[in-house]
Amino acid sequence: DAGVIQSPRHEVTEMGQEVTLRCKPISGHNSLFWYRQTMMRGLELLIYFNNNVPIDDSGMPEDRFSAKMPNASFSTLKIQPSEPRDSAVYFCASSSTGGGQPQHFGDGTRLSIL
Amino acid sequence: GENVEQHPSTLSVQEGDSAVIKCTYSDSASNYFPWYKQELGKRPQLIIDIRSNVGEKKDQRIAVTLNKTAKHFSLHITETQPEDSAVYFCAASFSGPTNKLIFGTGTLLAVQP
């Protein structure tokens, strides 16, 4: 079974540039989560979707961040314009619906903003 | 609001010893408690989970216990091995129909050979 697939695995870009991170959840999973991980802040939930609908985006740090889920098999997290403090590892996770389900994480995107 | 506290933040043990990591949650309606292991540069991986209708669950060298009254749950690793060295995260489900998990801040476990 293919797990959660994220791309790119690594991204290095200059500040001010637009960054787009991509995620394909596990087939059949109806919930999708975007996390950011840094040494200082640990694992932060940015936004999550149920059945392609954003449920809670209170973790999105600022208006420069946006996320979409146009269909059940694809989601994007966009940062525009990017800043050095956005440097982190961004994980996507998916789970089945119904309360109390495990989340399965992708391999993450390591983002460096110069 | 919802919160999960995890202790200790770092733990160093000798190979063969046991390791215990403890978490406390705030939402009394939480009913699902997974544990994740994250090796350096890798993704968090589910290693064991427990639901609120069970007090203890064991899988080989790892076990999880849950005290609903005190809102505590713990991870126990016996006969630790160097490959157990990683960051361990506890999590608790958020009440309601969503699958949101609230994660602890992580424990860096170092197993000294």
Side-chain angles (χ1 to χ4, degrees), chain A residues 4-5 7 16 18 26 37 39 41 44 46-47 51 53 57 62 67 78 90 95 106 110:
Chain A
V4 176
I5 299 173
S7 65
E18 178 179 291
I26 292 172
Q37 187 174 41
M39 289 292 293
R41 292 176 172 268
E44 301 175 274
L46 301 177
I47 185 172
N51 296 315
V53 177
D57 65 354
E62 17 187 307
K78 188 173 292 188
Y90 290 81
S95 72
R110 183 172 295 277

Side-chain angles (χ1 to χ4, degrees), chain B residues 6-7 10-11 17 19 23 27 33 52 67 77 81-83 85 92 95 98 103-105:
Chain B
Q6 182 171 349
H7 300 282
T10 60
L11 179 60
D17 287 349
C23 290
D27 186 351
F33 307 91
S52 58
N67 182 329
I77 306 174
Q81 301 168 3
E83 52 264 39
S85 296
S95 58
T98 73
F103 282 86
T105 49

Side-chain angles (χ1 to χ4, degrees), chain A residues 8-58:
Chain A
R9 290 295 311 278
H10 303 274
E11 175 89 11
V12 181
T13 192
E14 293 185 348
M15 66 178 293
Q17 297 297 306
E18 178 179 291
V19 173
T20 299
L21 310 182
R22 297 173 176 81
C23 176
K24 177 178 168 57
I26 292 172
S27 178
H29 281 187
N30 299 94
S31 297
L32 184 140
F33 307 81
W34 282 101
Y35 291 91
R36 178 172 68 177
Q37 187 174 41
T38 61
M39 289 292 293
M40 292 298 294
R41 292 176 172 268
L43 196 61
E44 301 175 274
L45 177 64
L46 301 177
I47 185 172
Y48 70 98
F49 297 82
N50 270 7
N51 296 315
N52 313 339
V53 177
I55 302 300
D56 183 355
D57 65 354
S58 61

Side-chain angles (χ1 to χ4, degrees), chain B residues 4-13 18-24 34-38 47-48 62-66 72-78 80 84-91 104-111:
Chain B
V4 174
E5 293 187 1
Q6 182 171 349
H7 300 282
S9 56
T10 60
L11 179 60
S12 181
V13 299
S18 295
V20 180
I21 301 170
K22 298 181 180 181
C23 290
T24 304
W35 286 87
Y36 288 81
K37 175 184 180 183
Q38 186 177 25
I47 56 171
I48 195 168
I62 60 173
V64 58
T65 58
L66 172 65
H72 290 170
F73 58 113
S74 300
L75 178 71
H76 304 251
I77 306 174
T78 59
T80 53
D84 294 329
S85 296
V87 177
Y88 291 81
F89 292 96
C90 63
T105 49
T107 296
L108 175 60
L109 173 65
V111 180

Side-chain angles (χ1 to χ4, degrees), chain A residues 31 37 96 98 100 103 106-107, chain B residues 32 36 38 43 51 99 103:
Chain A
S31 297
Q37 187 174 41
S96 302
Q103 293 180 16
D107 287 330
Chain B
Y32 175 67
Y36 288 81
Q38 186 177 25
R43 61 187 168 94
R51 298 185 185 276
N99 300 320
F103 282 86

